[in-house]
Amino acid sequence: MKRVAVLASGRGSNLGALAAAQASFSSYRVAWVGANIESAGVLTVAAQAGIDATCIPSRGLARADHESLILKAVAATSIDILCLAGYMRVLSPDFISQFQRPILNIHPSLLPAFPGMHAQKQAIDAGVRWSGATVHFVDQGLDTGPILLQEPVPVHPDDTEEELSARILNIEHRIYAQAVDLVARGAFRVVGRTVHLL
Ligand code: GRF
């Protein structure tokens, strides 16, 4: 059973989905949640799910100092896999090289299209027919790491950002748990930029 940590800044629906799915996969358990914003809904979601959670506020701290607090917290809880779920900070190359275990992220588009903020609005503004959700390994770029799972979602001509986001979020919740299960079972190999599922 692999121990998963989740870092988040917002409402925490992906944390809720990961926690809800862990019983059916039984390959991982969400053991710790870190938020960088005190008012983040993710802390309530963690409390409701009975998951150990801490807020490590990032405001006013240099990135290196904030990251070293996170690394300490994660080391203290023996984490095997780190999941970013709406974590609004880019991890530094130092953090990634020091962590030395898989780091995953969920993104609300079919990467490499529409990286960064407001991916759903970017898709609507671009007039694409399809967008979707992507789970990828985190590397030193912004939403650039090797892709584990993706699933397309139709974009309707009259979609609002909220409507498209809700449609994508349903998919996010399912594929993030599937991806964490794959990584927890070691059922993948990364060759260059390609993730082979075993
Ligand atoms: C999700 O859309 C995720 O793809 C993006 O941030 C959002 C987080 O939502 N990275 P939640 O906090 O998990 O509900």
Side-chain angles (χ1 to χ4, degrees):
M1 177 82 78
K2 299 293 185 193
R3 291 169 60 80
V4 170
V6 173
L7 286 180
S9 307
R11 83 197 135 180
S13 73
N14 276 287
L15 167 67
L18 290 176
Q22 66 192 13
S24 52
F25 286 117
S26 64
S27 56
Y28 73 88
R29 185 160 64 85
V30 181
W32 184 77
V33 171
N36 67 315
I37 295 177
E38 279 149 336
S39 60
V42 71
L43 291 166
T44 308
V45 175
Q48 282 165 353
I51 302 167
D52 184 22
T54 314
C55 183
I56 303 175
S58 52
R59 198 195 311 180
L61 280 187
R63 183 162 72 159
D65 295 338
H66 184 246
E67 288 188 343
S68 91
L69 293 175
I70 292 174
L71 279 172
K72 269 191 206 133
V74 163
T77 49
S78 311
I79 290 305
D80 302 299
I81 300 168
L82 178 59
C83 290
L84 309 184
Y87 187 58
M88 304 303 281
R89 316 239 329 155
V90 177
L91 296 176
S92 71
D94 265 3
F95 183 101
I96 292 167
S97 63
Q98 281 181 52
F99 186 64
Q100 289 193 329
R101 278 150 282 169
I103 307 177
L104 310 185
N105 183 41
I106 179 87
H107 185 76
S109 76
L110 289 180
L111 290 172
F114 313 129
M117 301 280 285
H118 307 298
Q120 303 94 333
K121 181 170 188 309
Q122 292 185 55
I124 289 171
D125 290 349
V128 294
R129 303 275 175 184
W130 293 89
S131 190
T134 302
V135 183
H136 64 94
F137 287 107
V138 171
D139 67 5
Q140 300 183 0
L142 177 62
D143 302 326
T144 52
I147 290 169
L148 253 163
L149 291 180
Q150 289 189 299
E151 196 165 311
V153 169
V155 183
H156 301 150
D158 52 355
D159 263 347
T160 63
E161 187 181 350
E162 290 69 32
E163 287 166 338
L164 178 59
S165 299
R167 200 174 304 125
I168 292 174
L169 196 63
N170 270 326
I171 305 300
E172 292 184 33
H173 292 166
R174 178 158 45 75
I175 69 170
Y176 210 0
Q178 285 170 351
V180 173
D181 173 62
L182 283 166
V183 172
R185 290 189 290 109
F188 69 97
R189 292 283 173 275
V190 183
V191 181
R193 288 200 49 81
T194 304
V195 181
H196 296 265
L197 303 181
L198 308 177

